[in-house]
Structures are given as C-alpha cells and as structure tokens.
Amino acid sequence: MQVRSEFLARLAGARIDVLRQLPGQVAKQAAMGAVVLTTAFFAALSAGYALYITGVTNGWILAVVAGLLWGLAILNLDRMLILGLSQERDWKKLLMLGAPRVALAIIIGIVISTPLMLKVFESEIEAQLNRNILAAQEQLRSDLNNSTASADLAEAEAELGELRALINAGPTADPAANPKVQSVQTEIDALEAKAAEQKAEYDKLQAAAVAEEEGSAGTGIAGCAAMCVEKRRLANEAMGRWEDTRAQISAKEGDKDRLARELEGTLLEESERRIADAQTELPIVEQTVTQLREQIASAQDTSFQLEQANQGIIARLKALNDLSEGDGTAAMAHRAVALLFMCLELLPVLFKVLSNLGQRTAYDEVVAKTEDAEAAAATAEIDAMRDREKLRTDAKLEAEKDRIDKQQAAVLKINEAVVSHQVDVIDAALERWTDHAKATASQRLNGWAATLGGNSASGMPPRPSATPVYLAKNGVSSGTNGRPTPRSGSTTSTLVDPLPDPSEI
C-alpha cells in the first residue's frame, strides 16, 4: 500500500523524501497522481482504438503498444503541466502560467475524447455512415450522368439509333428521307418555333394595346392616348418580326421543294449509297458505345467500392458530425462526453491552480524550506568551488610570473657572460694584432735599413717608393734628404710603417 501511494505521488511530481517526513500528505499527492494516471489510461485507450479502426497498425497488438506509448507521452505532459505550477503563490503569475496550460489541456482532452466518442456512439455512427455512403453513391451517379463520358455515350447511342433506323428502312425515293432535304426541314422547324414565339408576343402586346384603348387595363382611361399609341407601336413591331419569320419559312419551303425536284431522279441511288455507308459505320459506332458503357460502369463500380470501403476515422468523424447536426439528443450526448474527457484532462491542472491559490499546506512549507536549504547548499558549494578555482588560478599565475622572472634573470646573466667573453676575445685579438704589427714593422725596418746600406755603397740614391714614412711624433720629423731628423730636445724617434691590413693578421 505504501509503495503504491508513493508511486502515485511520484506521478504527481511530489517529493518522496518530504512525504516520508509528512505521512499525512501522502493521500493528497497520491490522489493527484491517480488522476494523472487515469487521464493517461484513457489516452492510451483512445489512441489504441483510433489506430485500430483506421488500420494504421497491422493487428491489435501493435495498436495496444502504440496506445501505451501515447498514454506515456500524455502522462509525462501532464506531469510537466503540474510541475510547472509548483510553489507559485502569486495569483496573477499563477493565472498567467495556468492559462496556456489550461488551453493545452483542453486540446489534449479533445484529442483523447474524439476516438472514445467514436466507440461510445459506434452503432449510431455505423447507421449514419451507411446513409452517407448511399448519399455519396447517388451523388457519384449524378456526376457520372452529367459527365462528358455520359454525353459522349448519349451522342453515340443516338447516332447508332439513326444508323440502324436507316438500314432497317431500306432504300427509298421519298425526298423527306434525304439528308439535304432533312437539313432544310430542320431549319424550317426552327423558324416555325421562332414564329410561334413571335406570334405569342404579338398577341400579348396587341391585347395590351386594345385593353389600354378600351380603358380596361393600363392607365384605365378609355381612348388612344400616348400610352395607347406606344403599345400599338410595340404590337406592330412584334407583328413585323412575326411576318418576317413567316416570310423566311415560305422561302425555306420553296428551297425544300426545289431541292426535292432536283433530287427526284437520284433519290433512290443516293439512299442506297447512304445505307451502304451506314452499314460500314455501324460496327465502329457499336464498338464506341460498348467502350463508353464499360468505362462508365467501371468508374461507377470502382467509386462505389471505394465509398463502401471508406469507413476510416475521417468518415466516422463526418458521420458523427452529421449525426449531431441532425439529432439534438445525439448532439447533446456528443458534447457531454467531450466535456467529460476534457474535464478529466483539466482536473490535474485546475487542482494544482486551486491548491496554490489556497492556504499553504505543511507539505508546501516543508518543500519550500527543503528547496531553500538545497539551494543554499548548492550555492555554497558553487561559491567554494569558485574560490578554489580562483586560488588555483592565482597560484598558476604566481608560478608563471616567477618562472618568467627567473628566465629573464638567466637570460640577463647569459647576455652578461657572452658580452664579457666577447670583450676577452676582442682584447686577445687586439693584443695579437699589436704583436704582429710590431714584428712586421721591425722586419720591414730591418729590410729597409739593409736596402739603404746597399744603395749608399753603390752611390745610388734610394727609390722614393722604398722610402719609409717618418711621422712627426714623439719629437721625430723628416729631414731634407728624406732621413729622419730628431727634433731638438727629443730623445726618441719612431719609424712607423703603414699598418697592415687586418686580414693579414
């Protein structure tokens, strides 16, 4: 019993942990769950029956399975409608939230109730369905009679009758049987019909003119005044039209007599030729008539069979609507059943709305406090998580900053070492270059001195190109004969050869 009550309470969206603390509230929540389950049951029954009668599912097993799935969908939808209204106390917001849910519940109620009403009024619907089928067949027969195929059939049958009558009559020399004479006679008949209408119109206008003149009709004044003259004019015009038609009839009669005299010698021969042509055309026309009759009969039989087999849900709904329109009792019963199922669907939503508008129950109070406590705990957990994440982020930033600082110090130290090493290398290079320059200058000086001594022994002056350069530095200057002459007071002189190319070092 407890398990069943908890199950129904779960269907109503109740919290079982709270209900276990408030056993007295279980019955109320279980009742709402029972209503939701009842609505889902009727939805499953309705959907299964609708699928079964329409033949969508092959057999009742699939219809039952599909109906259960539909009932489950309605169950979840009802739970969503109820849960969406939970804990809302403000009546304005509650009505705003409840209005669309009520509209949706009404739609669901109509959808659920329609197939069930088809089952409730099944016998009446069957009778009305048969009447609708008969009416549809009569309408189809009328449409076929007014169709182009029926017109073609009537024309072909008339032609067939004419051909058979011509063949059965045999050859004849009667002018009236000649087609040309018959054509003129047809024109004469049309003119005579027109003349009869014109004569009737003339008689009517003439009687009106006479009555106007006598004062028995019209203005009621005896004598032929303006109105009488107008009516006589109209009567005379009608008589003129009638006489013109009679003249045309006389002319056509003359044409017919003249044509009969012209054909007098060839009437028998022409009649025989027309009979031979009719015998040739007769099988073709008979075949056309047979085909048209079979076509119309096939279309009629097929349509009748389709109408007879059309007993699906649309045809049944139309029969139910026709039954409601033609019978007040049936219409009232139809509306009552529809309202019953709509109320079943509306009951959970209305119950929840009214419950929220009323006084808060112990269950509502505990649920509100429980949810507040859960929200506070969840918020605290989220805040703690955020703080931990911030601490981890700050630690990562500090570590990254320290790493960058140490990398920068290491790079500066490396740069300092590199620069110091480069200075040592440059000093060593300059020292070696200086030693090399001194050695080279000494070798060239010795060579120059040796060359100078050889040139003096031979009595030849030295070549200008071999003359070393003396710089006026440290008290040394050049003499007039190209030899270095120390300045007065100086104790040293320096002979400097041009510096070698650094690439030679």
Side-chain angles (χ1 to χ4, degrees):
M1 185 69 179
Q2 181 68 22
V3 175
R4 185 177 62 182
S5 298
E6 289 185 358
F7 172 73
L8 294 176
R10 287 182 186 275
L11 292 182
R15 296 191 52 160
I16 302 302
D17 56 343
V18 175
L19 288 179
R20 286 174 180 173
Q21 301 175 15
L22 300 171
Q25 299 293 320
V26 174
K28 178 181 178 181
Q29 301 299 326
M32 182 178 292
V35 173
V36 173
L37 185 61
T38 302
T39 304
F41 170 75
F42 281 112
L45 185 64
S46 174
Y49 177 71
L51 293 175
Y52 180 74
I53 64 174
T54 56
V56 175
T57 56
N58 188 11
W60 63 270
I61 296 178
L62 292 179
V64 170
V65 173
L68 291 176
L69 292 177
W70 175 249
L72 182 61
I74 295 299
L75 176 65
N76 290 328
L77 188 59
D78 285 340
R79 292 186 76 248
M80 182 271 293
L81 295 178
I82 294 173
L83 292 174
L85 298 173
S86 297
Q87 305 305 318
E88 181 60 54
R89 310 303 300 180
D90 184 78
W91 68 272
K92 293 182 179 179
K93 293 182 179 180
L94 189 62
L95 291 179
M96 291 178 62
L97 293 174
R101 287 167 171 78
V102 169
L104 183 59
I106 292 175
I107 295 174
I108 296 174
I110 294 174
V111 172
I112 292 175
S113 64
T114 299
L116 294 178
M117 284 189 295
L118 295 179
K119 182 62 177 176
V120 172
F121 300 105
E122 185 175 9
S123 59
E124 292 82 1
I125 289 174
E126 288 291 341
Q128 184 63 39
L129 189 61
N130 292 331
R131 288 193 291 269
N132 290 349
I133 291 174
L134 293 176
Q137 290 177 350
E138 289 296 329
Q139 182 63 37
L140 178 62
R141 187 179 292 107
S142 176
D143 294 340
L144 287 175
N145 292 333
N146 296 328
S147 64
T148 55
S150 297
D152 295 340
L153 177 61
E155 183 179 351
E157 288 177 344
E159 183 179 0
L160 180 62
E162 292 176 357
L163 292 176
R164 287 175 176 174
L166 180 61
I167 294 172
N168 294 333
T172 179
D174 184 7
N178 188 271
K180 296 180 180 179
V181 177
Q182 290 177 351
S183 177
V184 177
Q185 183 61 43
T186 301
E187 295 179 359
I188 292 173
D189 293 341
L191 289 173
E192 287 180 347
K194 182 179 178 181
E197 293 177 357
Q198 292 174 343
K199 179 65 168 57
E201 183 183 7
Y202 164 69
D203 292 340
K204 180 179 178 181
L205 293 174
Q206 180 65 22
V210 172
E212 180 68 32
E213 184 176 0
E214 293 176 352
S216 58
T219 59
I221 302 174
C224 193
M227 184 59 68
C228 174
V229 172
E230 178 63 20
K231 290 184 177 181
R232 283 190 175 278
R233 183 185 67 79
L234 294 175
N236 292 333
E237 290 179 355
M239 184 177 65
R241 291 192 294 271
W242 173 56
E243 290 177 349
D244 290 341
T245 303
R246 294 303 303 171
Q248 293 177 13
I249 293 173
S250 298
K252 290 294 181 180
E253 291 285 353
D255 293 340
K256 186 180 75 169
D257 294 340
R258 178 179 53 78
L259 185 60
R261 288 193 299 270
E262 292 177 355
L263 297 173
E264 186 176 359
T266 61
L267 287 176
L268 184 60
E269 181 181 355
E270 186 174 353
S271 176
E272 292 175 350
R273 185 173 63 253
R274 288 192 297 108
I275 291 174
D277 294 340
Q279 290 174 346
T280 303
E281 294 179 3
L282 183 62
I284 299 175
V285 176
E286 287 178 344
Q287 184 179 3
T288 302
V289 170
T290 302
Q291 290 177 349
L292 289 173
R293 286 176 179 173
E294 291 177 353
Q295 180 181 353
I296 294 174
S298 176
Q300 186 173 7
D301 293 341
T302 302
S303 300
F304 284 175
Q305 292 174 2
L306 291 176
E307 288 292 338
Q308 193 70 32
N310 185 18
Q311 298 186 11
I313 190 169
I314 300 299
R316 291 177 179 273
L317 288 174
K318 184 178 183 302
L320 179 61
N321 185 62
D322 295 339
L323 183 65
S324 300
E325 291 180 354
D327 190 345
T329 304
M332 183 179 64
H334 180 190
R335 287 191 291 269
V337 174
L339 289 174
L340 172 63
F341 287 106
M342 281 190 288
C343 288
L344 285 176
E345 179 61 30
L346 283 172
L347 187 59
V349 177
L350 293 178
F351 182 81
K352 190 63 179 178
V353 171
L354 295 176
S355 176
N356 288 355
L357 289 176
Q359 186 177 1
R360 293 172 66 91
T361 62
Y363 172 80
D364 296 332
E365 295 288 346
V366 174
V367 167
K369 292 179 180 179
T370 303
E371 291 180 351
D372 291 341
E374 291 175 347
T379 303
E381 179 65 23
I382 293 173
D383 292 339
M385 189 184 302
R386 186 185 301 112
D387 293 339
R388 289 193 296 269
E389 186 65 26
K390 186 176 183 302
L391 290 175
R392 282 194 291 267
T393 303
D394 293 341
K396 290 180 180 179
L397 290 176
E398 289 293 335
E400 184 68 17
K401 182 179 179 182
D402 182 66
R403 184 182 64 82
I404 293 174
D405 292 340
K406 291 180 178 180
Q407 285 181 347
Q408 183 178 6
V411 170
L412 292 176
K413 187 174 181 180
I414 292 171
N415 290 340
E416 184 179 355
V418 170
V419 170
S420 177
H421 181 67
Q422 289 176 345
V423 170
D424 293 340
V425 171
I426 293 172
D427 290 342
L430 289 175
E431 184 178 355
R432 291 185 63 184
W433 179 81
T434 303
D435 294 341
H436 179 72
K438 289 178 180 182
T440 302
S442 177
Q443 291 176 1
R444 289 184 179 181
L445 183 59
N446 293 333
W448 174 78
T451 302
L452 182 61
N455 288 338
S456 299
S458 62
M460 294 295 293
R463 291 177 295 176
S465 60
T467 303
V469 179
Y470 292 90
L471 300 178
K473 184 178 180 182
N474 298 328
V476 180
S477 63
S478 298
T480 56
N481 56 355
R483 293 184 175 89
T485 305
R487 293 183 182 178
S488 58
S490 63
T491 59
T492 62
S493 63
T494 303
L495 178 62
V496 181
D497 193 53
L499 292 175
D501 189 350
S503 61
E504 298 176 353
I505 301 175

